Amino acid sequence: MLVDYHLHTVFSGHAVGTIDDYLAKVEELGIEEVCFTEHTSRQYLPDEFRRQIPDSWMQDEELAVYLKLVAAAATRTSVRVKLGLETDYFAGHEEALARFLDSLPLDFVLGTVHFLPMYEMRYISLVDEEPAAFLVAYFDYIKRAIESGLFDSIAHIHLGWQIVPWPSGRAGKTVEKGLAQVVAAAATHDVCLEINTRAFNFEGHGTLDIYRRFMAMIADYGVPITLGSDAHDPKDVGRNYPQVLRTLRHYGIDEVATFEKRQRLMVPVGDQLLSTAQGK
Ligand SMILES: [Zn+2]
Ligand SMILES: [Zn+2]
């Protein structure tokens, strides 16, 4: 079964297209199930802490509208549409987030690390410190997000190794150990890791070699995956799927997670998109 479990909407403040435009593209590609995962508006955080976070993305009052519009659009398509959020992990605010998520009718919660407190809450793409120290801190924070038990899957871990070059030598080994600890924690806590297909654009310092190491670790530890394009534009739905599906097969990863009211159901990964217009 083909799924795309990471789609944005105009409520992110940095995406284009209507929900129906995304679903038309999904149908065209033969993707059978999707989940919209808009950024949380973060109204559960104390004001003082919230002010330190640079990007607000979805506004508080838009959350209910987003949930309503996705549910309404789901009735107009043959695609199975799930309701989700992409939610930042902030250590120290776990209980408030748990209460907030429990109050919403969600199928799926995608955890994410975009901001690191040890780097003054800068958006991680703006961190330009020493690569090994940054990656170790970043992986450790992701590990804490996994251990919180708040999330069904963890998004786009590759952002870290796109931002800085992967260190060589002894530092490279230390960083690799940090990544392995993230994957091991996902296995222990039974949390999915996302294969974010935007990673296969290999932006910044991202390389296929590092991504293959990540996938090999996922296969070794038997961690369940979610699959998502992180589309902020209907044309990016299912992006890079042909190459990603081939690579998953190479590592013997043949199942993908779907969610209903936060309960996981593993299904076989689909073979190919109907349209090969996505290329690669
Ligand atoms: Zn994100
Ligand atoms: Zn996203």
Side-chain angles (χ1 to χ4, degrees):
M1 187 166 113
L2 283 175
V3 304
D4 190 335
Y5 260 60
H6 194 152
L7 298 178
H8 286 280
T9 67
V10 288
F11 296 108
S12 69
H14 55 273
V16 296
T18 66
I19 293 168
D20 288 332
D21 292 338
Y22 284 87
L23 292 172
K25 186 69 188 177
V26 168
E27 281 188 39
E28 183 192 322
L29 294 172
I31 294 174
E32 294 156 86
E33 181 167 317
V34 296
C35 187
F36 285 90
T37 51
E38 197 46 86
H39 295 285
T40 321
S41 48
R42 306 195 196 111
Q43 59 253 57
Y44 61 90
L45 290 170
D47 284 347
E48 191 191 327
F49 181 72
R50 233 181 134 178
R51 273 195 292 275
Q52 299 170 34
I53 306 163
D55 296 275
S56 61
W57 296 327
M58 182 156 60
Q59 303 300 302
D60 295 358
E61 62 278 12
E62 289 173 334
L63 175 62
V65 185
Y66 158 73
L67 295 171
K68 210 171 107 186
L69 289 182
V70 171
T75 66
R76 298 191 291 267
T77 174
S78 59
V79 175
R80 274 192 304 283
V81 179
K82 299 298 174 71
L83 204 44
L85 284 175
E86 177 176 357
T87 305
D88 291 275
Y89 173 68
F90 297 113
H93 299 278
E94 290 88 345
E95 278 179 33
L97 177 56
R99 277 196 302 275
F100 174 73
L101 294 174
D102 281 348
S103 74
L104 300 170
L106 300 172
D107 291 305
F108 175 63
V109 178
L110 185 55
T112 179
V113 171
H114 295 109
F115 311 98
L116 289 172
M118 60 292 267
Y119 290 102
E120 304 90 29
M121 281 300 172
R122 263 175 291 164
Y123 189 75
I124 55 166
S125 337
L126 302 174
V127 171
D128 54 2
E129 269 82 350
E130 201 279 309
F134 162 70
L135 286 168
V136 166
Y138 171 69
F139 289 146
D140 188 58
Y141 207 67
I142 290 174
K143 189 164 151 278
R144 291 178 69 178
I146 291 168
E147 290 164 350
S148 75
L150 287 162
F151 308 111
D152 300 312
S153 183
I154 304 292
H156 53 56
I157 291 176
H158 72 279
L159 282 192
W161 66 78
Q162 267 186 193
I163 292 157
V164 294
W166 193 275
S168 55
R170 187 192 284 259
K173 289 278 167 233
T174 306
V175 169
E176 188 153 341
K177 204 167 129 199
L179 179 58
Q181 282 169 353
V182 166
V183 179
T188 304
H189 295 269
D190 197 27
V191 173
C192 298
L193 295 176
E194 179 189 62
I195 301 299
N196 184 296
T197 65
R198 181 172 174 176
F200 281 66
N201 284 356
F202 303 114
E203 295 163 43
H205 297 282
T207 66
L208 181 59
D209 181 52
I210 305 170
Y211 213 86
R212 286 171 69 103
R213 264 187 273 176
F214 176 51
M215 275 195 187
M217 286 180 193
I218 286 175
D220 279 357
Y221 284 96
V223 173
I225 60 155
T226 60
L227 185 65
S229 63
D230 208 348
H232 288 70
D233 184 320
K235 74 174 170 45
D236 289 328
V237 172
R239 82 173 105 193
N240 300 323
Y241 269 36
Q243 189 186 4
V244 171
L245 295 173
R246 272 199 307 277
T247 313
L248 287 173
R249 270 198 298 277
H250 175 82
Y251 289 103
I253 300 169
D254 54 8
E255 287 194 319
V256 64
T258 62
F259 287 84
E260 171 99 29
K261 304 254 179 284
R262 314 229 25 215
Q263 294 297 311
R264 188 172 81 211
L265 176 70
M266 299 302 293
V267 298
V269 186
D271 285 334
Q272 55 185 32
L273 298 173
L274 283 184
S275 153
T276 50
Q278 293 290 308
K280 294 183 228 164

